[in-house]
């Protein structure tokens, strides 16, 4: 019932919708969905004027009045069948991206499985356009500039190890190979 508002953008199966700036969320780890919804609800994420998707999520998160509501939505999302989003980003070199990903795997895991102890989400099942967009936003300070969200602040620093837009495409191309392997 609570997911009813979410499906407008994220889809009935959690498959996401690029036009709505809504990533695929099906099968995401429950702990991560809880953390992000709380970040949106508190304003620790989603209030930067350059983050159109976040600006949409902030008011939506306000409809989840209690932590129990967030837990229920997160449990529902985490139990959805993981989707394989269509790849839309072109021009990335997965081999070069594999070399860049070595640093990423310290938190996100060699297979992109994520690590709750490090507060690092899994990366498989996520839309390539969303990964490119997210890394770009971290590099630009659109995400990761709010000290109320220390994990995002750390990710902002890590995103700056990627020299340019091509490096971002390369590392995302590698992440897409991890999705195909899973």
């Amino acid at each position: 019932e609570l997911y009813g508002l979410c499906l407008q953008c994220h889809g009935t199966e959690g498959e996401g919708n690029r036009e709505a700036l809504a990533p695929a969320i099906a099968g995401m780890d429950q702990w991560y969905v809880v953390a992000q919804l709380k970040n949106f609800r508190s304003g620790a994420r989603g209030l930067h004027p350059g983050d159109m998707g976040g600006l949409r999520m902030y008011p939506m998160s306000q409809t989840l009045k209690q932590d129990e509501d967030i837990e229920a939505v997160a449990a529902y999302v985490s139990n959805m069948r993981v989707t394989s989003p269509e790849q839309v980003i072109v021009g990335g070199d997965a081999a070069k991206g594999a070399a860049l990903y070595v640093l990423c795997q310290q938190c996100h895991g060699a297979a992109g499985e994520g690590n709750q102890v490090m507060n690092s989400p899994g990366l498989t099942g996520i839309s390539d356009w969303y990964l490119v967009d997210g890394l770009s936003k971290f590099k630009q300070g659109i995400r990761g500039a709010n000290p109320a969200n220390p994990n995002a602040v750390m990710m902002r620093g890590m995103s700056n190890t990627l020299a340019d837009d091509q490096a971002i495409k390369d590392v995302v191309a590698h992440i897409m190979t991890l999705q195909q392997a899973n």
Side-chain angles (χ1 to χ4, degrees), residues 16 24 48 50-51 56-57 64 78 87 95 118 124 136 148 152 171 178:
H48 191 285
D51 185 4
R56 288 184 182 164
M57 271 302 298
L64 302 171
S78 71
Q87 293 184 18
M118 301 289 293
T124 58
S136 297
V171 78
L178 301 176

Side-chain angles (χ1 to χ4, degrees), residues 9-38:
C9 296
H10 292 286
T12 57
E13 304 297 321
E15 70 275 11
N17 179 341
R18 186 177 186 190
E19 291 174 9
L21 305 175
I25 57 173
M28 282 186 156
D29 291 316
Q30 183 173 345
W31 63 267
Y32 184 72
V33 176
V34 166
Q36 294 312 301
L37 287 172
K38 286 182 176 181

Side-chain angles (χ1 to χ4, degrees), residues 144-177:
N146 187 334
N149 189 347
N151 295 320
V153 171
M154 184 170 66
M155 185 58 203
R156 178 161 190 243
M158 296 309 294
S159 71
N160 286 316
T161 65
L162 299 171
D164 53 25
D165 291 345
Q166 185 60 53
I168 290 173
K169 284 189 199 180
D170 292 345
V171 78
V172 169
H174 173 68
I175 292 167
M176 292 300 106
T177 68

Side-chain angles (χ1 to χ4, degrees), residues 22-113:
I25 57 173
M28 282 186 156
D29 291 316
Q30 183 173 345
W31 63 267
Y32 184 72
V33 176
V34 166
Q36 294 312 301
L37 287 172
K38 286 182 176 181
N39 284 336
F40 280 119
R41 190 175 69 181
S42 72
R45 179 175 176 194
L47 293 180
H48 191 285
D51 185 4
M52 293 305 297
L55 289 168
R56 288 184 182 164
M57 271 302 298
Y58 175 74
M60 297 305 288
S61 69
Q62 302 305 304
T63 67
L64 302 171
K65 301 289 185 199
Q66 302 173 5
D67 285 350
E68 293 79 18
D69 296 341
I70 287 177
E71 290 285 347
V73 168
Y76 184 77
V77 166
S78 71
N79 284 307
M80 291 176 150
R81 192 176 137 265
V82 176
T83 62
S84 295
E86 178 184 346
Q87 293 184 18
V88 296
I89 301 298
V90 296
D93 182 324
K96 288 181 182 176
L100 296 168
Y101 187 77
V102 169
L103 189 57
C104 308
Q105 75 183 11
Q106 301 307 308
C107 296
H108 293 284
E113 70 275 15

